[in-house]
Amino acid sequence: TPLSLIRNFSIIAHIDHGKSTLADRLIELCGALTKREMKSQVLDSMELEQERGITIKAQTVRLTYPAKDGKTYILNLMDTPGHVDFAYEVSRSLAACEGSLLVVDASQGVEAQTLANVYQAIDANHEIVPVLNKVDLPAAEPEKTRAQIEEVIGIPASDPEDAVEISAKTGINIEGVLEALVKRLPPPQGDAAAPLQALLVDSWYDAYLGVIILVRIKEGSLRKGDKIRMMETGATYHVDQLGVFSPKMTPVESLGPGEIGYINAAIKTVADCKVGDTITLDNRPAPAPLPGFKPSVPVVWCGLFPIDADDFEKLRESLGKLQLNDASFHFEAETSAALGFGFRCGFLGLLHLEIIQERLSREFNLDLIATAPSVVYRVFKTDGTMELLHNPADMPDTSLIERIEEPWIKASIMVQDEYLGNVLALCSERRGVQLDLTYVGNRAMAVYKLPLNEVVFDFYDKLKSATRGYASFDYQMDDYEESDLVRISILVNHEPVDALSFIAHRSAADMRGRAICARLKDLIPRQLFKIAIQAAIGSKVIARETIGALSKDVTAKCYGGDISRKRKLLEKQKAGKKRMRQFGKVEIPQSAFLAALKMD
Ligand code: GDP
Ligand code: MG
């Protein structure tokens, strides 16, 4: 295909504004799938994505579109996730494309992640085509949304030519989107005869084929059988299979400049495939790699431990496979006094953490305990050294600490005027400092500096409930600042449970300590003896709860002689046992560990 007939684009939007639905319509209109094969949200192939209705992995698909100008174009579409935790996936998709479709829900208007995504697209030098979605809704206000896009984002949108009005759900004007793509996005550039430079955009593990790599060819060409070299790691492989997603995996003989496709090359070492690396030909290497993109920095860490110690190696292998599929996820081996051998894992946010945990349990069938999520602190010691601390259990003795610094973020929150009061109260409760407050129509945009530590646990949930789901939120890392932080230990039956200890600001220590004890009281099942639950700073107890003793016979509450019901209860109890962790004499359910740390 000549370059002039190729268009590569991402779909970017705030969560729920309709990216995945639009992708479905584009695939349908281009006839890539038959009606029978078409199910809704085809690109959200992960079970978890379908269930939660969110896009986690950026997906790609090649479409063929016969345009009104009589020419047939190849369109490579990349769907991207909208949630703040997955910004890294977005940046990778953008690096593989020349343009973006900016989807804005015309009944909601511009939201915080609309802005965050647009800024990323502008940074990537993208041509941006605004699309006003959901015009079928009575509440849609396309004119107002056009004005907002011009005013807040600063790209032309007032003309019908500038921003396309569609309904991804009912299929109104999908052709208008395709025509705009073809007319307005620049074709890719590159020289098919130049030495190969292919950007490694993504990689994942396929149960049948092994490691699959997604590439965007920038310069040169790649053929089946070629010997490729990863420029950063130096690893070499023979290309067994080359193909494109249409959206089914479809083998091709070669890929040229501007094309996006996959490579299957019997790769054994997961670490050889670094996302952002440049792939070249071994016998004719490119003089220099492509600029690549910024490596991701995990901001939240927690320990993951197998409930069954025999699962340790399986966990290591599974984490390796997940990392291949998710370059923003980090892990290293760790041991805990209470939990044994496990891994310290780094994430981009709490949703990211939950998703990884759920994938480990569903896709790899692993039962795990997650310890309290922690941000990365800087501990300056009296001997003049500095330690990066991301495990509360490793906090040095207070006598050795000169000062501690914690990370802050800069957050933008957009919300209807009527909920602004709740948002400001939440931010100040979390030690926030207001930097700016402006208005876009009847919506306020508050910019706050907040300690990340106050945001990771449950800020997003809190914000949603304080605004009936209307607020949108986005953040960037800011700087480190000195802070009065203490470690709070949790003792169950007078034994410290290192997996539950956490670091908090001194002003919040009592409140959080009390909240966790109260939660654990509900989360730990009653046992045959009384259990004390305490929170302590050093040796000083700051909160206490007691769980009363109970008879263990669960069948006692079954009156009458229903044997099958009794058996069911006993079986349920047996299954429950497997998901428990023994601490001294006390069994704590796995689900208690993360649940205990979420605040009301
Ligand atoms: P994404 O998070 O941006 O991928 O959004 P989805 O494509 O998952 O859509 C979010 C919700 O909006 C779903 O319930 C869709 O059915 C709905 N939706 C998407 N497009 C339209 C539209 O044009 N009109 C209406 N009424 N609903 C839509
Ligand atoms: Mg989606």
Side-chain angles (χ1 to χ4, degrees), residues 53-122:
I54 56 171
T55 306
I56 300 164
K57 287 296 300 174
Q59 296 291 347
T60 177
V61 56
R62 174 196 282 223
L63 303 169
T64 311
Y65 175 60
K68 289 195 177 140
D69 64 7
K71 296 178 197 150
T72 297
Y73 292 83
I74 296 284
L75 306 175
N76 287 305
L77 173 167
M78 285 191 136
D79 190 16
T80 58
H83 190 278
V84 60
D85 278 11
F86 304 113
Y88 189 65
E89 295 276 340
V90 177
S91 75
R92 294 193 296 173
S93 308
L94 297 184
C97 301
E98 283 76 35
S100 290
L101 280 184
L102 171 68
V103 179
V104 181
D105 181 336
S107 70
Q108 300 287 325
V110 171
E111 297 280 2
Q113 273 131 47
T114 315
L115 284 174
N117 283 325
V118 163
Y119 294 145
Q120 275 191 294
I122 291 170

Side-chain angles (χ1 to χ4, degrees), residues 218-487:
K218 295 276 187 178
E219 297 285 345
S221 316
L222 180 61
R223 276 169 207 84
K224 208 171 140 178
D226 279 347
K227 190 175 182 189
I228 50 168
R229 185 200 295 174
M230 317 286 190
M231 293 189 80
E232 196 185 320
T233 62
T236 58
Y237 292 99
H238 281 281
V239 176
D240 292 336
Q241 207 194 84
L242 212 56
V244 295
F245 294 96
S246 64
K248 287 173 289 191
M249 287 175 99
T250 311
V252 297
E253 283 305 309
S254 69
L255 288 172
E259 294 196 281
I260 297 172
Y262 68 86
I263 301 175
N264 181 16
I267 294 165
K268 294 275 172 301
T269 322
V270 164
D272 286 346
C273 306
K274 282 227 170 88
V275 166
D277 197 359
T278 302
I279 296 174
T280 192
L281 290 185
D282 191 49
N283 62 4
R284 194 186 165 214
L290 295 163
F293 30 83
K294 270 188 290 183
S296 71
V297 183
V299 295
V300 185
W301 291 79
C302 81
L304 290 179
F305 293 85
I307 294 226
D308 182 347
D310 291 344
D311 279 344
F312 178 75
E313 279 308 322
K314 186 176 167 199
L315 177 57
R316 184 201 296 282
E317 213 176 281
S318 309
L319 292 173
K321 285 178 184 168
L322 280 182
Q323 189 178 48
L324 181 71
N325 188 226
D326 179 354
S328 54
F329 165 63
H330 293 240
F331 70 96
E332 57 204 47
E334 159 180 51
T335 52
S336 147
L339 300 173
F341 292 101
F343 295 91
R344 193 87 201 146
C345 303
F347 307 89
L348 298 181
L350 203 67
L351 177 65
H352 189 208
L353 183 161
E354 281 183 31
I355 296 280
I356 294 271
Q357 230 187 307
E358 271 194 62
R359 290 186 65 185
L360 284 167
S361 114
R362 287 186 196 204
E363 292 166 34
F364 300 95
N365 206 11
L366 284 160
D367 278 337
L368 303 172
I369 288 178
T371 64
S374 173
V375 303
V376 182
Y377 299 96
R378 290 181 183 163
V379 179
F380 292 85
K381 299 200 287 186
T382 46
D383 64 4
T385 61
M386 190 271 281
E387 258 177 38
L388 290 177
L389 177 76
H390 51 60
N391 186 353
D394 293 340
M395 180 131 135
D397 192 88
T398 39
S399 65
L400 302 174
I401 298 174
E402 196 238 327
R403 67 191 154 92
I404 305 179
E405 290 182 355
E406 67 176 330
W408 286 65
I409 59 167
K410 213 169 124 180
S412 317
I413 301 167
M414 292 186 78
V415 68
Q416 266 79 346
D417 204 18
E418 54 188 305
Y419 301 115
L420 182 63
N422 294 353
V423 171
L424 301 187
L426 176 66
C427 288
S428 72
E429 184 189 297
R430 299 295 171 94
R431 295 190 279 139
V433 180
Q434 196 182 95
L435 301 179
D436 197 15
L437 184 61
T438 50
Y439 279 86
V440 182
N442 70 337
R443 284 152 37 92
M445 170 139 137
V447 180
Y448 264 86
K449 231 182 113 160
L450 285 154
L452 180 60
N453 150 324
E454 302 282 351
V455 172
V456 288
F457 292 102
D458 59 351
F459 186 81
Y460 195 62
D461 293 346
K462 282 277 127 48
L463 184 67
K464 286 280 169 192
S465 59
T467 61
R468 296 180 170 229
Y470 281 121
S472 61
F473 169 68
D474 189 71
Y475 71 82
Q476 293 153 7
M477 295 302 291
D478 200 40
D479 54 359
Y480 271 79
E481 278 177 28
E482 184 173 352
S483 184
D484 188 10
L485 298 160
V486 289
R487 180 179 62 192

Side-chain angles (χ1 to χ4, degrees), residues 105-109 132-135 137-147:
D105 181 336
S107 70
Q108 300 287 325
L132 309 177
N133 190 28
K134 308 200 187 181
V135 295
L137 292 177
E141 295 181 296
E143 289 315 315
K144 220 167 121 185
T145 311
R146 286 177 189 277

